Amino acid sequence: MLAILAIDQGTTNSKAVLVSEKGEVLGRGSAAVGISYPKPGWVEQEANRLYTSVCEAIEVCLKAVPDVTIAAVAISNQRESVTVWDAETGEALGPVLSWQCRRTAPDCERLLVEGHLDRVQALTGLPLDPMFPGSKFRWLLDRVPNGRPVRLGTIDSWLVHCMTGGRRHVCDASNAARSQLFDLEEQTWSKELGEIFGVDTALLPEVFDSSADFGTTKGLQGVPDGTPIRAAIGDSHAALFGHGAFKPGDGKITFGTGSSVMTTLPRFIAPRNGVTTTVAWRIDGTPTFAFEGNILVSAASLPWMAGILGLADVAALIDLAETAEAGGPGFVPAFVGLGAPYWNSDARALFSQINFSTTRAQMARSVTDSIAFQVHDVIAAMRAQSDGELGALYVDGGPSQNRFLMQCVSNLVEHAVIQCEAPEASALGAAYLAGLSLGLWRDLEVIAGLPRSTQIIAPEPVDRAALLNSWNDALARSTSRQTMAKGE
């Protein structure tokens, strides 16, 4: 049986999925990655452990489906996380700085003071925020031992390096577009941006289409040497592609540690209102653009709150939340600041409007509702600058399987969401791109027609104004803490 081996390398887990020529999932494997927090606001991972987790996931997946011929390998990966390694030996020379990491906030603040924001945003579609890798690359370079020949890369480039036995230093356009060093209009690394961030762009990988020849495997356990790697793409972009969201206005919300809200654009539109513009994917040298809003903390707040309340797991937390009416206390999950559309590194997590009558159920509901409130604000920002209607809106990621959570999202954005039963949207998107490269699927129309099991969740009437007033009050308190601390 012929299949594509799709890797979905995420923040907390690496997954491997075998996808048939009919677009069906034949087998799955998963392995934990591990993540550390050495200082407040610092989030990092081990580069070698990250790759080992991919190998472990592949092993589990292939054991589940032993009689399969791997036609190609496809990669989707956590974005904005970056690392550095020796160009000759392949030795990791630093940690993986996570997309969540805020250690370079002072560097971004300096660049803002120096007046670089407008130029960076015009070239990259991204704000000056420590989520994005420009300042992270500089931080890594400053700590490389003198005299070591280095390569800098996004996670797809690190995985391709490892999978090809160090023979290729490449990445795809979607990952490059999230680096803050890539000129969206020219579709090349920018020397000007390199000078702003203090990064030699010659150290960065060669940029390919998302569906392309990334080399062949060498030494990847369980996979024959010489197996082609035919796709690489950021995980949120891959999910958008996997849903078949090819029409302008179509979008998706990926729920995970954080959340990514993305809608496809008919052309490049300069970003404003706190959202970014990015390359959704690039095929045959032509980029498809998208709006995106990156929420830093989404479902990550659920296990935290379950622990605070002494509940067994996240499922118990959601069950408890469902017993409470919406509109109780407010909660802002600004554990590492706030991302889109606020972009406030100094915001802090808090509960608001708590009193002696506040119940455990209300506290749980305020945490689950914070997921929907953040999505609402991102979509509102997108709608404010889009010249088209919001189209099909898909949801994916683990929390998307919970009807209660997704109903809350649909209610607040006043738009139906399409719940997909398959949890592997990112892996499927990468697999479809690899199949497109191989000719297994002729074009996007064929891919859009592949079977998908979905359920539509329509919005229900709620007092949105009252709910948003409570949320906005909590949000104002969260972001005003910085002003109070500065005594202004």
Side-chain angles (χ1 to χ4, degrees):
M1 182 182 301
L2 194 67
I4 293 170
L5 176 62
I7 308 302
D8 180 17
Q9 200 299 298
T11 306
T12 55
N13 293 283
S14 292
K15 300 175 184 177
V17 178
L18 283 168
V19 181
S20 75
E21 295 178 84
K22 296 180 180 180
E24 300 168 331
V25 174
L26 303 176
R28 304 172 174 88
S30 179
V33 179
I35 194 164
S36 61
Y37 309 88
K39 294 181 182 180
W42 289 36
V43 187
E44 65 185 44
Q45 297 174 294
E46 293 183 8
N48 290 330
R49 172 57 203 161
L50 189 148
Y51 179 61
T52 299
S53 70
V54 168
C55 296
E56 292 171 353
I58 290 173
E59 182 180 7
V60 173
C61 181
L62 294 181
K63 282 184 178 178
V65 190
D67 299 324
V68 68
T69 298
I70 300 174
V73 175
I75 296 169
S76 76
N77 61 277
Q78 57 170 305
R79 307 164 311 146
E80 293 106 19
S81 298
V82 293
T83 193
V84 59
W85 61 96
D86 190 294
E88 295 177 356
T89 67
E91 175 191 358
L93 298 177
V96 172
L97 299 193
S98 169
W99 58 273
Q100 291 182 301
C101 189
R102 314 296 289 177
R103 73 184 67 190
T104 60
D107 301 300
C108 293
E109 182 63 30
R110 173 181 55 80
L111 293 171
L112 282 166
V113 171
E114 292 175 357
H116 293 296
L117 173 61
D118 288 346
R119 188 59 178 159
V120 169
Q121 200 155 15
L123 291 173
T124 70
L126 306 173
L128 278 170
D129 186 88
M131 173 180 173
F132 302 105
S135 55
K136 290 185 172 80
F137 279 133
R138 183 66 256 173
W139 190 96
L140 288 167
L141 285 173
D142 285 341
R143 286 152 183 82
V144 170
N146 290 334
R148 299 294 290 268
V150 301
R151 286 178 172 173
L152 293 170
T154 48
I155 297 307
D156 62 328
S157 62
W158 170 245
L159 294 181
V160 171
H161 162 82
C162 294
M163 290 179 177
T164 61
R167 293 177 295 174
R168 301 300 296 271
H169 187 40
V170 296
C171 73
D172 99 295
S174 73
N175 279 288
R178 307 301 291 177
S179 70
Q180 280 190 319
L181 297 171
F182 191 70
D183 185 321
L184 289 186
E185 184 174 354
E186 298 295 330
Q187 290 289 296
T188 60
W189 298 121
S190 166
K191 289 186 178 180
E192 180 184 352
L193 291 167
E195 291 172 358
I196 290 173
F197 288 99
V199 176
D200 182 357
T201 57
L203 305 178
L204 297 168
E206 184 179 358
V207 181
F208 282 19
D209 286 347
S210 307
S211 177
D213 183 358
F214 289 85
T216 58
T217 59
K218 182 180 180 182
L220 180 58
Q221 188 173 356
V223 178
D225 286 353
T227 300
I229 303 170
R230 298 306 291 260
I233 185 171
D235 50 9
S236 284
H237 313 252
L240 189 69
F241 195 90
H243 290 306
F246 303 140
K247 297 177 182 177
D250 286 352
K252 64 90 205 179
I253 311 166
T254 296
F255 295 94
T257 304
S259 289
S260 164
V261 184
M262 190 177 285
T263 56
T264 310
L265 295 174
R267 63 188 184 283
F268 175 81
I269 299 177
R272 55 185 176 87
N273 298 335
V275 299
T276 65
T277 301
T278 192
V279 175
W281 50 77
R282 197 173 79 186
I283 299 173
D284 294 332
T286 300
T288 293
F289 293 101
F291 279 147
E292 182 171 16
N294 302 99
I295 296 167
L296 300 182
V297 176
S298 183
S301 61
L302 301 182
W304 170 81
M305 192 59 188
I308 293 292
L309 293 178
L311 299 171
D313 52 28
V314 167
L317 176 76
I318 296 173
D319 287 344
L320 179 62
E322 199 168 355
T323 66
E325 293 291 332
F331 172 69
V332 180
F335 294 97
V336 290
L338 288 170
Y342 329 100
W343 296 113
N344 190 320
S345 294
D346 295 318
R348 291 295 177 263
L350 56 74
F351 288 93
S352 71
Q353 300 187 30
I354 298 173
N355 54 50
F356 284 123
S357 65
T358 300
T359 67
R360 295 168 75 247
Q362 288 175 319
M363 297 283 283
R365 180 66 185 260
S366 67
V367 172
T368 59
D369 279 353
S370 71
I371 296 173
F373 282 125
Q374 291 183 99
V375 168
H376 166 272
D377 288 358
V378 169
I379 289 182
M382 290 178 174
R383 281 171 161 165
Q385 63 182 305
S386 175
D387 53 5
E389 295 294 324
L390 183 63
L393 185 60
Y394 301 89
V395 293
D396 61 76
S400 73
Q401 300 302 299
N402 185 279
R403 173 79 189 214
F404 167 69
L405 294 180
M406 294 305 101
Q407 187 68 65
C408 292
V409 170
S410 178
N411 293 348
L412 274 175
V413 301
E414 292 185 293
H415 193 87
V417 300
I418 304 172
Q419 192 179 39
C420 305
E421 289 188 7
E424 303 92 356
S426 293
L428 285 169
Y432 295 159
L433 283 161
L436 191 66
S437 175
L438 292 173
L440 293 182
W441 299 297
R442 184 181 66 254
D443 52 29
L444 297 188
E445 184 177 352
V446 172
I447 292 173
L450 291 173
R452 294 170 176 85
S453 181
T454 61
Q455 182 174 351
I456 297 175
I457 300 177
E460 298 173 342
V462 295
D463 189 347
R464 293 176 64 256
L467 297 179
L468 289 171
N469 282 339
S470 177
W471 162 252
N472 288 327
D473 174 76
L475 194 62
R477 294 172 188 272
S478 172
T479 55
S480 68
R481 288 171 61 91
Q482 58 180 310
T483 301
M484 296 167 58
K486 293 175 182 177
E488 297 175 358

